[in-house]
Amino acid sequence: RKEVEQDPGPFNVPEGATVAFNCTYSNSASQSFFWYRQDCRKEPKLLMSVYSSGNEDGRFTAQLNRASQYISLLIRDSKLSDSATYLCVVNARKLIWGLGTSLAVNP
Amino acid sequence: DGGITQSPKYLFRKEGQNVTLSCEQNLNHDAMYWYRQDPGQGLRLIYYSQIVNDFQKGDIAEGYSVSREKKESFPLTVTSAQKNPTAFYLCASSREGTGRLSGANVLTFGAGSRLTVL
């Protein structure tokens, strides 16, 4: 089993749609969690950290479920500019990166 | 504005040549990292440094070398011993090391260096 697993997609959604990504992790001792966004041939950029109680930043909501060992990212009212690959990152004394989920938002 | 500068952005190298990738940060971060990204693979850690004059091997250090003589700088040398050097190389930094990463201490990346071996 991979340490961090994500559905690679691609997710193709129309503008305005709501889309959700999940990410599962294997190390129950993982301490912190992040979502990064990576545009094609660019560097990853932090989208948001994920807190135990869940957190929201505008149209983006992140949730953590420690019992089931997964984190999620919800994007509401998708924009064309949200098209990117979303990387799940888990800190288990070292950072473990998922392979990413590709999102394409279509007009 | 503070940030991380990587150079060159694109680099072509002949087989058997060493090449050095530059990474400079003005964020006053203690920790710096080098990652490699290949198509279809997640980011893989090459080397990291938590403090000046100290660095540790990551998961794929073979064929690479680094130095950390200044807080701001963490150059990576890709040696001829690296069997598959063609990749996208990413430098990153954080205020504190991996063991203390949290919402207030996150990884920031440079724009990357794309190395192609001919």
Side-chain angles (χ1 to χ4, degrees), chain A residues 13-55:
Chain A
V13 302
E15 268 187 293
T18 295
V19 61
F21 308 136
N22 282 338
C23 166
T24 58
Y25 60 94
S26 60
N27 188 334
S28 59
S30 298
Q31 302 166 325
S32 51
F33 309 86
F34 309 90
W35 283 103
Y36 276 74
R37 169 201 169 122
Q38 186 173 26
D39 293 298
C40 188
R41 300 178 70 82
K42 302 280 190 176
E43 76 275 23
K45 292 184 179 177
L46 179 70
L47 180 65
M48 56 200 304
S49 303
V50 186
Y51 299 111
S52 296
S53 55
N55 47 302

Side-chain angles (χ1 to χ4, degrees), chain B residues 65-84:
Chain B
S65 66
V66 293
S67 63
R68 187 88 187 274
E69 296 175 2
K70 298 187 299 181
K71 186 174 185 177
E72 304 79 23
S73 179
F74 192 41
L76 173 76
T77 296
V78 185
T79 75
S80 56
Q82 168 48 234
K83 291 184 170 52
N84 297 296

